[in-house]
Amino acid sequence: MQVRELNGKDAEDYYELRLEALLTNPDAFITTYEQEKQRPDPLVKTAERLDSPSSRTFGLFEDGTLCGTATLVKETHPKFSHKGSIVAMYVSPGCRRKGGAALLLQEVINFSKAIELEVLHLNVVTDNTPAKKLYEKVGFQSYGLERKAIKIADRYLDEELMELFLTE
């Protein structure tokens, strides 16, 4: 498995994987499959997001096929510029339990250190035990809980807030 930063040329593969993620793990994402499918010019918008200087998206590849992604969003306000957030993390079921997700996260962490971030944050739905274990494995620690963070129809999902200090 290999990891590299994605760019606008990866838009079609990223978009297809994003749709898979929204269908496979709908509770893990705020955007729904239906919302994503209704976006005008989805490949153009996806390419623009992948080329945006405000975030970096990394892809996990197995045999040349994109099977995982994680996006780093760096805070832009000067007083918060030492922090970043990992969002939209997903690995296809066929690529899970092979060490690729940890490899993907480690690449994001290494890049974050290289651009001198000091703290990484992420949120994970509390009942997503495999994801929580993965984040803990690479060093993230829980610092809070947001109850009823997500509302889907008539049910709520709580999110665990996690952080990783890159300098100590």
Side-chain angles (χ1 to χ4, degrees):
M1 294 190 156
Q2 301 166 350
V3 176
R4 71 166 171 82
E5 187 174 342
L6 301 180
N7 59 48
K9 294 175 187 167
D10 299 299
E12 187 172 349
D13 291 337
Y14 178 87
Y15 182 71
E16 291 303 318
L17 188 63
R18 173 95 171 135
L19 292 176
E20 175 190 311
L22 297 173
L23 282 175
T24 304
N25 295 97
D27 288 355
F29 300 95
I30 302 303
T31 303
T32 66
Y33 177 84
E34 292 77 18
Q35 289 169 324
E36 191 70 31
K37 287 292 285 185
Q38 291 175 3
R39 291 183 196 259
D41 300 319
L43 293 181
V44 172
K45 299 291 185 195
T46 299
E48 288 172 358
R49 280 196 308 250
L50 292 174
D51 286 335
S52 169
S54 64
S55 66
R56 301 290 178 101
T57 298
F58 295 84
L60 174 67
F61 293 83
E62 184 175 51
D63 299 324
T65 300
L66 182 64
C67 66
T69 61
T71 298
L72 171 68
V73 179
K74 186 181 182 298
E75 295 287 344
T76 57
H77 190 284
K79 291 184 179 182
F80 294 145
S81 64
H82 64 292
K83 301 188 292 186
S85 297
I86 297 175
V87 300
M89 172 94 183
Y90 175 75
V91 175
S92 289
C95 287
R96 294 177 187 171
R97 294 177 177 76
K98 297 179 180 181
L103 186 68
L104 181 59
L105 274 175
Q106 194 57 56
E107 185 67 24
V108 176
I109 291 166
N110 292 344
F111 179 83
S112 298
K113 288 178 180 178
I115 63 168
E116 300 182 350
L117 291 182
E118 299 173 29
V119 185
L120 289 177
H121 290 121
L122 59 80
N123 296 358
V124 59
V125 174
T126 55
D127 62 1
N128 191 344
T129 303
K132 285 179 18 179
K133 286 182 179 180
L134 168 67
Y135 299 141
E136 289 168 351
K137 178 181 172 183
V138 299
F140 279 86
Q141 295 181 335
S142 177
Y143 72 93
L145 175 71
E146 182 179 356
R147 295 185 50 193
K148 295 186 175 185
I150 301 168
K151 184 176 181 180
I152 303 171
D154 61 346
R155 68 185 178 99
Y156 295 92
L157 301 171
D158 298 339
E159 283 191 326
E160 190 166 335
L161 312 176
M162 301 185 84
E163 64 190 0
L164 173 66
F165 290 94
L166 303 173
T167 60
E168 299 258 28

